[in-house]
Amino acid sequence: MKNLKKLIVAALTLTATIASAQVVIKTDAGDFKINFKGRTHFDAGIYGGDMGKNSHDNVTNVVRLNDTRFGFIATFDDKYTVKAEYKFTGSNTSFTDLWFGYKINEKSSLQLGNYWMPFGYKILGPAYRFIQNSSIDEAVDIESRKMGLSYMYNTDPLKFTFGIFSDGNVNSIKENQGYNIATKLIVRPILDETTVLHVGIAPLFTHTPRNVSFNTKSLTQGKSIALLGTTLTDDDQYNIFRGEAEAIFISGKLYVEGRYQHAQINTPGEDNAKVGGFFIQGGFLLIGEKQNYSKANGYATNLSAKNLELTARFGHVSYDQGKDWQKSENDVTVGLNYAFNKYLMTKLNWTHGQCHAADDTVNDMLDKANYNAVEARLQFVF
């Protein structure tokens, strides 16, 4: 009954978002405009493989309504922007984006509120090329959006972002939240209608009193399994140093992207925990003329209508917390993406992954595993 109620709520929400698609309210003078936004995913997955002796047979074949959201973006006086977005997935009902923006001039702006820090790949949301996050991005990236203030400078040749954020989030306020200092620089030596060369770096420093985890959840469409990871539970405060380097190349039908990420937790009295890795991915349009790129956001965006794309990704992630904890994972994903229009897209992915552990690694997580996943998504976004 409880699951039925959740499904009914999600279905009603989806009906409301579809009915509201393309709804824009604005004044005759054009000094105020509000654009309603939303998304939902219909997902299905089939999983298999040898999940290792420590698995608990908790990866199942599933069909579900996933990640349903509804919100709005309002702009007024050509300088101010407000965005609010609420999530209705499963038992989680919470704010995601909730922020205020001010445009200083055509190149500079400020942003205040709850939103993604300028680090990692999860920020792409529906523009993500694959159904699942890459292993390294799942492990190193920030757990959620953060409350903060940031400055952005954006031109064709470069984009620069600097921000200071809490280490809590808007839905869970704690007395001592810690803080993050985040910076990202993107350089674009080539940027025109058909060709893009984009190179970026993003250092991130975190000081936090919270328990910290580096986990890879490679089968997120079923019941999540932490295939790899380390969790630190001391009461001391931690300093975490993260770094990211990325490159994007787009030429007509071709899109290629590579990203390296690294994180280190300085643990009082113990070996520092380290995680690092990379992914290389690409897409080629079997139907369509050119890949899309957003200068404002600094990433490759969704396909144009009626485009069909063949995609592939190779990822690697490794963990090291001294000789007693060393693990790694490699995974390969091949997929097809098709855009019916700018609102409706389908994705089909096949993934194969292999996990490895040092012989003396502790056994409270999967030490060795080979897994396969075939997943499909119908994605509605407006």
Side-chain angles (χ1 to χ4, degrees), residues 216-285:
T216 301
K217 298 178 181 177
S218 294
L219 301 180
T220 55
Q221 300 308 305
K223 297 179 181 178
S224 298
I225 287 183
L227 291 174
L228 300 169
T230 180
T231 301
L232 307 176
T233 58
D234 291 347
D235 293 330
D236 297 301
Q237 298 187 0
Y238 304 99
N239 292 328
I240 308 173
F241 299 88
R242 292 179 176 92
E244 178 178 52
E246 65 186 41
I248 298 173
F249 177 71
I250 292 174
S251 179
K253 297 173 179 283
L254 177 67
Y255 150 79
V256 180
E257 179 166 3
R259 190 174 296 246
Y260 170 80
Q261 293 178 330
H262 178 83
Q264 175 175 309
I265 300 180
N266 290 351
T267 314
E270 298 183 21
D271 292 329
N272 292 334
K274 301 176 183 178
V275 58
F278 65 90
F279 68 80
I280 300 173
Q281 65 184 39
F284 185 80
L285 294 179

Side-chain angles (χ1 to χ4, degrees), residues 128-195:
Y128 201 67
R129 277 303 198 276
F130 299 88
I131 294 174
Q132 297 192 38
N133 296 322
S134 68
S135 299
I136 184 60
D137 206 55
E138 190 71 47
V140 174
D141 199 359
I142 308 306
E143 297 170 354
S144 65
R145 295 162 174 84
K146 305 295 182 183
M147 291 288 293
L149 172 66
S150 60
Y151 166 80
M152 287 158 283
Y153 177 85
N154 196 10
T155 65
D156 283 0
L158 63 89
K159 179 179 181 181
F160 172 75
T161 306
F162 174 80
I164 300 176
F165 300 81
S166 76
D167 198 49
N169 73 57
V170 71
N171 300 297
S172 179
I173 304 300
K174 296 182 178 180
E175 184 176 350
N176 186 356
Q177 297 185 358
Y179 61 88
N180 294 275
I181 300 175
T183 302
K184 185 165 187 175
L185 175 65
I186 295 171
V187 178
R188 295 178 282 231
I190 303 175
L191 179 61
D192 59 39
E193 288 297 318
T194 59
T195 308

Side-chain angles (χ1 to χ4, degrees), residues 92-105:
N92 298 319
T93 57
S94 59
F95 278 106
T96 53
D97 285 327
L98 186 62
W99 55 263
F100 170 83
Y102 172 69
K103 185 169 74 172
I104 301 171
N105 53 45

Side-chain angles (χ1 to χ4, degrees), residues 42-57:
F42 294 89
D43 289 339
I46 301 173
Y47 309 105
D50 175 14
M51 296 306 298
K53 66 181 181 181
N54 291 317
S55 68
H56 300 289
D57 297 325

Side-chain angles (χ1 to χ4, degrees), residues 205 232 332:
F205 172 77
L232 307 176
V332 177

Side-chain angles (χ1 to χ4, degrees), residues 130-132 311 333-336 347-351 373-375:
F130 299 88
I131 294 174
Q132 297 192 38
T311 61
T333 301
V334 178
L336 279 174
K347 298 179 180 180
L348 178 64
N349 287 174
W350 169 78
T351 299
V374 177
E375 298 171 304

